[in-house]
Amino acid sequence: MPEPRRLVRLLVGLALFGVSLGLLVRAELGLPSWDVLHQGLADRTGAPLGLIVTLTAGLVLLAWVPLRERPGVGTVCNVLLVGLAAEAALELLPGPEQLALRWAFLLLGVVTAAVGTGLYVGAGLGAGPRDGLMTGLAGRGLSIRRARAVIELSVLALGWLLGGTVGVGTVLYALAIGPLVQIALARLSFRPAAPPARPGGPLGVTGAGEPR
């Protein structure tokens, strides 16, 4: 059973990541590549966006099998919770018409995605389905950078063909999310408390020279 503090970080991080998707959709200024695909599929099928996010994550998780990637608690929670949080956010958030508010939604969405990622990745309870796909391909000989680029560009192109929203927000997210996640991970990653020092110094040796 995961340590409760790590589990709380995981769940809060996934909820925030789902909310960030709702903010980015409502901004209507462009989505990250995977969300362009999610939106395109939702528009073509008529299914709720949250359901599409969940189903897509499940399908990506199946691709882990030939890549011999192993899911963790965080992986399963990612599949189940991000779509639900995104759908709840879309139900609650208005669709602003003023450009200034749309930009505010966009910027808040990017920051929220970074904080959410810092929390759920920093919990160390398992990679998300899409991250596992990237590391699995990297384990087959591609560099991480090339694997990520191939995946992101492929899903972006497919999502755009399906009618997903590509715009300035897509570019802004691509440029900003990496540095912001790096900051979030540095500040929000779970760090177990150091065990108390044993009497007698770092090697646990008493004044008489006998190990404890």
Side-chain angles (χ1 to χ4, degrees):
M1 183 68 183
E3 187 174 344
R5 288 181 297 171
R6 296 173 70 185
L7 190 58
V8 168
R9 286 171 179 264
L10 170 70
L11 298 178
V12 172
L14 292 174
L16 287 175
F17 195 82
V19 170
S20 76
L21 172 55
L23 287 164
L24 293 170
V25 170
R26 288 290 184 242
E28 295 185 353
L29 290 170
L31 298 169
S33 55
W34 278 100
D35 296 326
V36 173
L37 176 60
H38 296 149
Q39 188 187 52
L41 288 170
D43 289 345
R44 290 301 180 99
T45 62
L49 181 66
L51 177 60
I52 293 294
V53 172
T54 300
L55 293 177
T56 302
L59 290 174
V60 172
L61 195 57
L62 289 177
W64 283 29
V65 176
L67 296 173
R68 298 181 181 179
E69 291 289 301
R70 294 184 178 181
V73 172
T75 310
V76 177
C77 289
N78 191 305
V79 173
L80 297 177
L81 298 181
V82 171
L84 292 175
E87 197 60 35
L90 287 170
E91 288 291 330
L92 296 172
L93 290 170
E97 296 182 1
Q98 299 92 338
L99 184 59
L101 282 178
R102 290 167 62 196
W103 268 98
F105 271 41
L106 171 62
L107 296 175
L108 183 59
V110 174
V111 172
T112 304
V115 173
T117 302
L119 285 169
Y120 84 74
V121 173
L125 293 174
R130 298 156 188 84
D131 295 325
L133 180 61
M134 175 188 67
T135 57
L137 290 175
R140 294 296 181 274
L142 289 177
S143 66
I144 287 287
R145 179 181 298 180
R146 182 169 296 180
R148 184 63 179 260
V150 168
I151 294 169
E152 295 287 328
L153 291 174
S154 297
V155 299
L156 178 62
L158 180 57
W160 178 73
L161 290 172
L162 290 171
T165 304
V166 178
V168 64
T170 309
V171 178
L172 176 64
Y173 191 98
L175 294 175
I177 195 64
L180 289 176
V181 166
Q182 184 174 356
I183 294 170
L185 282 170
R187 294 180 177 273
L188 300 175
S189 291
F190 178 77
R191 295 176 179 84
R198 299 176 64 181
L203 297 180
V205 179
T206 65
E210 295 294 330
R212 293 178 62 89

